Every structure is written in structure tokens, then in C-alpha cells.
Amino acid sequence: MRTLGIDPGTALLGWGVLDEHHGTLQSVACGVVRTLREQTTEQRLLTLHTELTALVQQYQPDAAAIEELFFSRNVTTALAVGQARGVVLLTLAQAGIAVYEYTPREVKQAVAGYGGADKHQMQEMVRLTLNLKHLPRPDDAADALAIAICHAYTAPMRNRIRSASQNP
């Protein structure tokens, strides 16, 4: 199974692709989509759509995992991230890719075994889990890989639960 993990953002959108074969995870690629500060919001969202469409075409993921919107005190940031998430969800829907959403706490629990893990702990667990020589950079790419790892660990259980509920 090939999973595209996405850490949504308007200025930086982190992405990571990993393959899972018989319980072994392997990093395929990761990076960020950057938009320019001088671009209008519409131009930034178009850049995200265009770049994400190209990534989907290049890597052909079977599923996508995205971080759920975490609403904090900064309403402006939350709105911008919400707009980026909307573009991501639309792009993935257009490509016919199943989307799974995870909270930051779920990602931390799945990857580090502790829902309150800090950024450094998460990056190190991503590095160890994927047997990488160096921490993935920038942070947004590492976060996207963590989201993909969370999905790879969580998907089998979700599928068993769905099957059980459909065949009582």
C-alpha cells in the first residue's frame, strides 16, 4: 500500500510518501510545497492544487492521510490552514483517492506511543521507523511522514472494524 501523508498549510504544505509491504514501512519521498508571501490567497491555493496534483500523478498513492484541523487561539492561521485543507481534500477527491483524517494526538500516539510527544521526539521516531540516516527536513515534511505512518499503523484495524460492522 502506498500512502501520501499531508501536513496542510498555506505557506508550507508538507507531504510524504511511504510504502508498506508486509508490515515494513519504507520512505519513498518527502518534501514541501512552498507558496510565496507576495502571492494572493487565490494564487497560493492554486499553487497548492497544481503541485499536489503533480505529486499525486507522480507517486500514485492508494490512500492519503491528512491531519485534522486543530483550532487554536490564532483564528487567522486556522482559517488559512482550513483553506489549504479544502484544496487538499478537493484535489484528492478529484483523483479518486480515499482520504483518512487523524488528529495531532492520534498521530503522536501511533508514531511515538505518547499523545503528548514533542516535535523532536516525533521526528526521531519517524527517522527510526523509516530507518533514515537523517531527520527528514523541513519539519513539515517530517510531520507529513508521521501522518502517513499513523495511517499505515491504523488502517488495518479500521478495515477490520469496518468489515465487522458490515458483516455482523
Side-chain angles (χ1 to χ4, degrees), residues 1-159:
M1 175 177 74
R2 177 164 283 184
T3 302
L4 171 63
I6 299 175
D7 181 28
T10 304
L12 286 175
L13 181 141
W15 61 272
V17 178
L18 61 83
D19 285 339
E20 184 272 329
H21 296 288
H22 305 293
T24 302
L25 301 179
Q26 179 181 8
S27 174
V28 175
C30 67
V32 294
V33 175
R34 295 179 192 273
T35 62
L36 304 175
R37 185 177 288 231
E38 56 271 8
Q39 288 179 304
T40 64
T41 300
E42 297 83 9
Q43 291 169 326
R44 286 179 138 185
L45 296 175
L46 180 59
T47 297
L48 295 178
H49 175 68
T50 303
E51 295 293 322
L52 186 56
T53 298
L55 289 168
V56 166
Q57 289 172 351
Q58 179 178 358
Y59 294 106
Q60 299 288 307
D62 301 305
I66 184 171
E67 190 170 77
E68 283 187 10
L69 181 59
F70 176 72
F71 188 79
S72 61
R73 294 181 192 149
N74 190 336
V75 175
T76 304
T77 301
L79 287 173
V81 172
Q83 290 173 329
R85 276 180 43 83
V87 167
V88 168
L89 294 173
L90 171 65
T91 304
L92 296 170
Q94 286 176 328
I97 297 170
V99 178
Y100 300 86
E101 299 182 70
Y102 299 95
T103 66
R105 184 171 281 299
E106 287 173 319
V107 174
K108 291 174 181 182
Q109 182 69 41
V111 175
Y114 171 57
D118 65 29
K119 199 162 246 335
H120 179 72
Q121 289 170 318
M122 289 296 294
Q123 290 171 344
E124 184 62 18
M125 286 306 298
V126 167
R127 186 188 73 75
L128 292 171
T129 300
L130 298 176
N131 199 25
L132 303 173
K133 290 181 182 178
H134 305 285
L135 294 177
R137 295 282 183 217
D139 294 353
D140 304 85
D143 292 346
L145 284 172
I147 295 163
I149 291 168
C150 174
H151 179 68
Y153 287 167
T154 307
M157 181 58 75
R158 279 188 173 192
N159 291 338

